[in-house]
Amino acid sequence: MNIAMLNIMLCRFAGPFILLVLFASVVVSFLGYEVTAPVLWLDGILIILFFTYYTISQGLTFYVFRRILQTFFVLWVIATMTFGLLRIIPGGPFDQEKALAPEVKAAIEEKYNLNAPLYEQYGNYLLRIAKGDLGTSYKYYDRNISDMIADSLPNSFQLGIFSLILAFLVGIPAGVYAAANHNTVKDSTTMILAISSVSLPSFLVAAIMITIFTFKLGILPPALWDGTAFYIMPVVVLGLRPAAIIARLTRASVLDVIRSDYIRTARAKGLSETVILYKHVLKNSLIPVLTFAGPLAAGILSGAFIIEHIYNIPGMGKHFIMSVTNRDYPLVIAATLIFSFLLIISNLIVDILYTYFDPRIKLS
Amino acid sequence: MKIQNATKQKKQAQKILKKTTLLLFLSATVFIFSCTKKSKVDYDLDISETLRWHVATEPPSLDWTIATDTTSSHITGLLMEGLTRHGFKAAEVTTEPNLAMSWESSKDMKTWTFSLRQDVKWTDGVAFTAQQIIDGWERLLNPKTGAEYANFLFNVKNARAYLEGNIKDFKQVGVSINDKGQLIVALEAAQSYFPSILAHHSTFPIRKDLIEKYAGKWTEPGNHVGLGAYKLKIWDHDKAVVLERNENYFGKKPKIKYVLGRIITELSTALNMFKIGDLDVVDDFPSPEVRMLRDTKEYRLFSILAVYYLGLNVKRPPLDNVKVRRALSMAIDREEINNILEKEKIPAYNIVPPGLLGHDANIGLKFEPETAKKILDDAGYQDRSKFPRLQFGFNSSENHQRIAENIQAQLKRNLGLGVELVNEEWKTYLKSLQANTYQMFRMAWVGDYPDADTFIGLMVTDGGNNRTQWGNKRYDELVKLGVSESDKEKRKQIYFEAQRILNEQEVPIIPIYYYRAHRLVNARIKNYPQNVMDKFDLDDTEIIK
């Protein structure tokens, strides 16, 4: 078997195979089954293999390597800034309504090493993070931060992935549909819907949906996170706004591309409008959507506070808000680092995907 | 030739494609079956034997020596017992035998002897011993534990010194076991209500062996043991806590087999779940809903030992003038504030809430706007424009905002004074209070134990929670006398006098209301506990089937 064959095999089979496995994982999870650890590992390894192969085959190895090195530096800067800011805001983790007796306060500060000089606390803390130890929570006594994240992040990921898929599945076709019917009633109706979805606050949409689907129709549960019926409302509410933004971005970008010369050529060749739109126009219109997708993915995957709060989903979202309210320093830092890491990685993935959607883009 | 080659390659590829499709199909099937369906909503509990209860937050800790918050104490209250327990059958809270069958004190009330039950076993079958109490106290007072409630035992001889590290040997602390197996406690100063404190979870016995074995993980199900009516079955972090009846419990066995505490942080979500019948009890709900719910049969309203008050910084002009403070107190109509709170609270004029010895609704300055005006004139402020700027601080919250705005309006209307409102995020606010930033501020106090001392003692000179900078020698004396007095009638008089100083003469604080808590209880639950300590005892609670 020669290299050409290998390439054909990889493109023909490996790509669809990976997509199928990932898609199956999502569907299985959505159906309320527990996706087991080996399957999750398989998913992860497949994605990494795919990106490694793509990176190497496109000659991006050095670029990606450099970006990963940069990531460590950025994370260090963020960790330092968070550490500093937390010490600047007034109020400490053990300040509360009932003032502690001075002896008790001294003992607590001693226990958590809060009485040591700042540079020493900072040094200890960096050292621990470098070892991968995120410490224990101040609020939830003796609970490991890593355990807390392991308990909550998968739920946020689940919610986030469902919502992202929904956003793309709805947003892109809606955008293309509106653009294809440019300046008609269909276009304006789609766009009015999109604008309202962007402007309606999610807690309001959530409340309205609960009133309809729980209290009037009695078909969906109002809260919790334990199976398909529980997933539907939060996923729709969370996915609605990004779907609308994606629809608007896609529409604008499709309108841009649709006027270019090669589309006129395609039309002249007699290709059907559907083929033109979905094969030739769409691929080249996705760059702005991709740019938006990076931060969107990071934001949604790391926990949507309001949605998780309303639907009582035990995800990461609350840790972002509550850890600051509680001045739970180790948890604040861990949450910030996780968000930053997701943001950096998703931006890297987006940058790599640019080269796929538009081969003219060269990363160096 | 080229074309032939291409066709050949294509055919080969198609063959592989067919095989791969089959393979993919097979692996997808295996994959789907390798995943298990999860059904955790009710943890497979029999709902007809389960109390589904609303837990407002993930319990910070089920380690009773360390826990300080209400949620944790509610749960540990079912899992664990102390030497004494509180009784709520009488008008005032009583202290009842529990792990201790009886107790007596020396005449000077400085030495207490507790006789313990011998027939009690932990949920893992190990016998309960007096040493486990000493272990618990050692742990509470050990500086390495960092327990916030260590001050509960500060009156025990040398306890403070042990916490500060000045004494290394715990044997020097005033607690020991005599040859009859009784627990002997020596106190620094006489304390008539000492047994009442031992109903608090921070003083409960511990299992040192298990805590050493499992360290931070000892409160997880499987490791956790207790002496209470229930045992910990499941703790699904951030989702639920499931308790199962302890069949070997030494006290009155509860009728309900399981308690499923669902952790729901958003009040309106909990209310939604209650409405569709997924929860039997919600402990709180958004205040705008009160009007809709107060006439339903599920609605309950009951007093708890807590007071909401305004603190006045007596070192900051114009509040350094006692006349101004009295005028302010008399110009605020507590009934009006209660009205904006849907009449769920009880207007307060003094610091000791009803349900405690030492409460008298008649003590305190009543609402008399005309007198208030005269007093303010007397204080030298006939010309209100000369009145210094008055800042009123509170922590950001919808309710505090409404109350503060009402007080602002009342002072304008009744005295012609302008007050500037400032709100801050909770922890920032606490820091500002420490720095004495505000002349007026809002605060609340929830009683740690059911005794007037926890309220009266709040305002002693330089007390850790006295943020008004006020101090009064006679008042301090009365607080000390009250603690050591065992005669109820005399004690009552002492507290009356103290409150007259505090709430009529000196007025460093303006009590606004005593708390009442509301909750919703599904009709299928009978005799749901309801008491001033908001203690969660399920002794008499039943599920109607």
Side-chain angles (χ1 to χ4, degrees), chain A residues 243-261:
Chain A
I245 298 175
I246 289 171
R248 291 179 53 76
L249 284 172
T250 311
R251 176 180 174 272
S253 165
V254 164
L255 282 179
D256 220 31
V257 176
I258 220 163
R259 294 190 191 108
S260 50
D261 291 341

Side-chain angles (χ1 to χ4, degrees), chain A residues 34-85:
Chain A
E34 189 111 41
V35 179
T36 48
V39 177
L40 284 178
W41 277 106
L42 179 70
D43 288 349
I45 290 170
L46 283 178
I47 294 176
I48 291 173
L49 277 181
F50 171 74
F51 273 99
T52 316
Y53 170 75
Y54 186 78
T55 310
I56 295 171
S57 69
Q58 298 292 312
L60 294 171
T61 324
F62 181 68
Y63 172 78
V64 171
F65 187 68
R66 206 184 57 203
R67 283 282 294 267
I68 289 174
L69 278 186
Q70 276 173 3
T71 305
F72 284 108
F73 175 73
V74 172
L75 287 181
W76 170 71
V77 172
I78 289 171
T80 307
M81 280 178 65
T82 319
F83 181 89
L85 284 172

Side-chain angles (χ1 to χ4, degrees), chain B residues 35-49:
Chain B
C35 300
T36 49
K37 183 103 183 169
K38 52 175 188 180
S39 94
K40 284 206 290 192
V41 188
D42 289 324
Y43 298 89
D44 299 325
L45 300 170
D46 177 359
I47 296 303
S48 67
E49 296 213 72

Side-chain angles (χ1 to χ4, degrees), chain A residues 13 17 25 31 34 39 91 93 95-99 103-104 111 141 143 147 222 309-310 312 318 327, chain B residues 17 24 31 35-36 145 147-148 160 164 217 237 263-264 266 269 425 427 431 444 446 448 464-465 467:
Chain A
F13 306 123
F17 176 71
S25 309
L31 291 177
E34 189 111 41
V39 177
D95 286 328
Q96 49 183 303
E97 195 151 9
K98 294 185 181 180
E103 301 88 341
V104 176
K111 179 181 174 183
Y141 303 91
R143 269 202 84 192
D147 287 349
H309 196 59
I310 295 177
N312 209 52
K318 66 173 170 304
R327 306 286 195 273
Chain B
L17 184 69
L24 285 184
F31 167 84
C35 300
T36 49
T145 312
E148 294 182 29
R160 236 176 231 259
E164 285 169 340
K217 300 257 183 230
H237 288 285
I263 299 163
I264 301 171
E266 169 59 37
T269 306
E425 181 265 348
K427 298 249 176 183
K431 263 288 175 275
V446 185
D448 286 324
N465 290 296
R467 296 171 169 105

Side-chain angles (χ1 to χ4, degrees), chain B residues 91-93 192 305 352-360 450-453 455-456 482 485-496 499:
Chain B
E92 283 157 9
V93 184
S192 59
L305 297 180
V352 178
L356 292 181
L357 179 125
H359 168 76
D360 182 352
D451 192 280
D453 179 56
F455 290 94
I456 298 271
E485 182 56 64
S486 61
D487 184 283
K488 282 191 175 178
E489 195 45 45
K490 280 187 195 157
R491 214 170 161 221
K492 213 186 252 182
Q493 294 309 323
I494 291 170
Y495 285 147
F496 287 166
Q499 287 178 86

Side-chain angles (χ1 to χ4, degrees), chain A residues 98-362:
Chain A
K98 294 185 181 180
L100 295 173
E103 301 88 341
V104 176
K105 196 163 183 187
I108 290 175
E109 284 179 347
E110 178 74 38
K111 179 181 174 183
Y112 290 102
N113 201 25
L114 287 169
N115 52 357
L118 266 189
Y119 64 86
E120 195 187 312
Q121 288 186 42
Y122 175 68
N124 284 341
Y125 143 79
L126 274 192
L127 218 67
R128 274 195 292 106
I129 287 194
K131 285 186 209 151
D133 172 12
L134 294 170
T136 54
S137 165
Y138 291 168
K139 169 82 181 170
Y140 302 96
Y141 303 91
D142 286 332
R143 269 202 84 192
N144 275 327
I145 301 282
S146 8
D147 287 349
M148 293 175 73
I149 291 170
D151 277 346
S152 56
L153 196 60
N155 294 321
S156 287
F157 253 73
Q158 222 184 349
L159 170 65
I161 288 173
F162 296 156
S163 306
L164 277 177
I165 291 177
L166 180 81
F168 282 103
L169 283 186
V170 173
I172 292 178
V176 175
Y177 176 77
N181 297 293
H182 185 45
N183 278 342
T184 63
V185 182
K186 289 173 186 167
D187 179 22
S188 36
T189 319
T190 317
M191 282 306 110
I192 288 172
L193 277 178
I195 290 173
S196 5
S197 309
V198 175
S199 13
L200 281 176
S202 50
F203 61 85
L204 183 68
V205 181
I208 294 172
M209 285 192 65
I210 291 173
T211 312
I212 298 173
F213 292 101
T214 303
F215 291 111
K216 293 271 183 272
L217 302 176
I219 48 175
L220 293 177
L224 304 187
W225 191 247
D226 282 300
T228 316
F230 297 89
Y231 301 154
I232 295 173
M233 269 204 276
V235 168
V236 170
V237 178
L238 185 59
L240 202 61
R241 179 189 290 249
I245 298 175
I246 289 171
R248 291 179 53 76
L249 284 172
T250 311
R251 176 180 174 272
S253 165
V254 164
L255 282 179
D256 220 31
V257 176
I258 220 163
R259 294 190 191 108
S260 50
D261 291 341
Y262 71 92
I263 298 300
R264 200 174 303 135
T265 315
R267 285 214 174 101
K269 266 165 61 183
L271 290 179
S272 80
E273 198 61 19
T274 323
V275 173
I276 294 174
L277 270 179
Y278 284 92
K279 196 166 176 195
H280 298 279
V281 177
L282 189 59
K283 192 177 165 194
N284 291 297
S285 317
L286 284 181
I287 296 291
V289 178
L290 265 184
T291 314
F292 171 67
L296 171 74
I300 276 192
L301 291 177
S302 58
F305 173 67
I306 294 175
I307 302 295
E308 288 180 3
H309 196 59
I310 295 177
Y311 291 103
N312 209 52
I313 299 166
M316 268 300 280
K318 66 173 170 304
H319 292 321
F320 281 93
I321 311 289
M322 293 317 292
S323 62
V324 180
T325 313
N326 294 329
R327 306 286 195 273
D328 194 345
Y329 297 157
L331 188 54
V332 178
I333 291 168
T336 316
L337 285 181
I338 284 176
F339 177 72
S340 320
F341 181 73
L342 282 174
L343 188 65
I344 295 170
I345 291 298
S346 50
N347 275 335
L348 176 62
I349 293 174
V350 164
D351 284 347
I352 295 175
L353 286 179
Y354 277 158
T355 62
Y356 173 76
F357 283 102
D358 189 348
R360 284 171 300 182
I361 294 177
K362 291 275 171 277

Side-chain angles (χ1 to χ4, degrees), chain B residues 254-267:
Chain B
K255 295 179 179 122
I256 296 178
K257 193 164 181 201
Y258 300 107
V259 177
L260 164 59
R262 273 197 207 289
I263 299 163
I264 301 171
T265 39
E266 169 59 37
L267 295 182

